[in-house]
Amino acid sequence: GTGTTWSTRYTDKFIMDRNLGAASADRAQGVDNTAGLYYQYGRKDPVPASNVVLYDGNGVALPRYHNDADCISRITGRVSIKTAVSYPYYFYRGNAEWMAGTNPYVANLWNNPAAGTGKSLFDPCPPGWRLPVNGTWNTFTLAGHVPNANAANNSAVNPGATIDYKGYTDQAGWDFYLSGSSGATAFYPATGFRDSANTGANVNKQITAYCWLATPYGVAGYGLCLYCTPNTVGSSSTSYRGHGLPTRCIQE
């Protein structure tokens, strides 16, 4: 569809208006419909939020696991790339990193390993699209949020905030100006993340937003991402590679 071209690190390209796998880009549809799918860094296969019910080809609901009735089985321990590809419906938990050993490609699974650029075969975006590189969200700042006098009061976490956050509600998220302090905006829902260092369940839903970047990060166990809280916006923050975060695609 048509939209506003993206100028940060790209020339005449479009970024998707929603997270990869999201049913809607409309805040009013709630976090469950705008969150999209969650990815452990470098894996080509996603998992849904832990409260999403999955069905087989006959419309029968799949078994539910864990104390939050998750359809995804959360397996303790690190695994090889081969195992992760063979068992795409498992979320690997208990560690900051999901991959076993010291594979030299671990930080480059979403890139061309030779240069840290280009789309790899593990990139989950559809043809013609790729995961974003570092710098994509540099224009997103606290000052670049859209003020909303009718938003839910953030006084518990950020007194006097003038951001369109609507924290702790089903519509929690951020509307960012794509350039400056006016004009077109992009909505990023407060998806939370799947916590690989602990149970593997979703945490911080309706509080924080994340989106993976494909650019490698030089510290073992970490990847780069967009990270938003009620009082912080980090355009190239870090997260454990084992965590499950959403992302969104940009034209190649």
Side-chain angles (χ1 to χ4, degrees):
T2 59
T4 300
T5 54
W6 199 254
S7 59
T8 303
R9 297 297 300 269
Y10 298 93
T11 302
D12 296 330
K13 301 294 184 180
F14 291 90
I15 188 169
M16 288 187 176
D17 67 348
R18 66 197 67 192
N19 289 347
L20 184 57
S24 175
D26 182 1
R27 176 197 291 275
Q29 297 298 310
V31 174
D32 286 345
N33 288 307
T34 57
L37 298 167
Y38 295 73
Y39 293 84
Q40 291 182 286
Y41 187 92
R43 292 186 68 185
K44 68 180 181 61
D45 301 298
V47 295
S50 57
N51 65 321
V52 172
V53 181
L54 299 179
Y55 298 87
D56 65 17
N58 297 315
V60 178
L62 297 180
R64 310 297 293 273
Y65 307 93
H66 313 289
N67 60 4
D68 58 355
D70 194 349
C71 276
I72 297 298
S73 187
R74 308 197 289 255
I75 305 300
T76 302
R78 296 167 62 178
V79 297
S80 67
I81 298 174
K82 179 180 178 181
T83 298
V85 171
S86 300
Y87 298 93
Y89 40 82
Y90 290 159
F91 184 87
Y92 300 102
R93 57 160 295 274
N95 300 278
E97 175 64 87
W98 63 268
M99 187 186 295
T102 57
N103 191 304
Y105 297 110
V106 63
N108 291 285
L109 290 179
W110 280 340
N111 296 273
N112 176 341
T117 60
K119 182 178 179 178
S120 82
L121 62 98
F122 291 102
D123 189 309
C125 295
W129 300 81
R130 62 156 296 174
L131 293 174
V133 299
N134 192 23
T136 298
W137 292 299
N138 280 356
T139 59
F140 290 2
T141 65
L142 280 177
H145 288 82
V146 181
N148 184 349
N150 297 318
N153 193 310
N154 297 318
S155 59
V157 289
N158 190 15
T162 57
I163 58 176
D164 190 3
Y165 169 58
K166 299 190 177 184
Y168 308 103
T169 75
D170 193 43
Q171 296 184 24
W174 291 258
D175 284 303
F176 288 106
Y177 292 116
L178 297 182
S179 178
S181 58
S182 63
T185 62
F187 174 62
Y188 285 73
T191 60
F193 66 100
R194 275 186 177 264
D195 187 357
S196 70
N198 293 291
T199 67
N202 274 96
V203 297
N204 287 4
K205 193 174 180 181
Q206 301 181 355
I207 302 174
T208 55
Y210 301 83
C211 272
W212 277 126
L213 289 158
T215 304
Y217 184 61
V219 178
Y222 289 88
L224 290 172
C225 66
L226 171 70
Y227 170 56
C228 307
T229 74
N231 51 15
T232 302
V233 174
S235 61
S236 57
S237 294
T238 59
S239 177
Y240 288 152
R241 288 196 288 249
H243 284 342
L245 310 184
T247 191
R248 60 181 67 185
C249 308
I250 288 190
Q251 278 183 309
E252 288 194 89

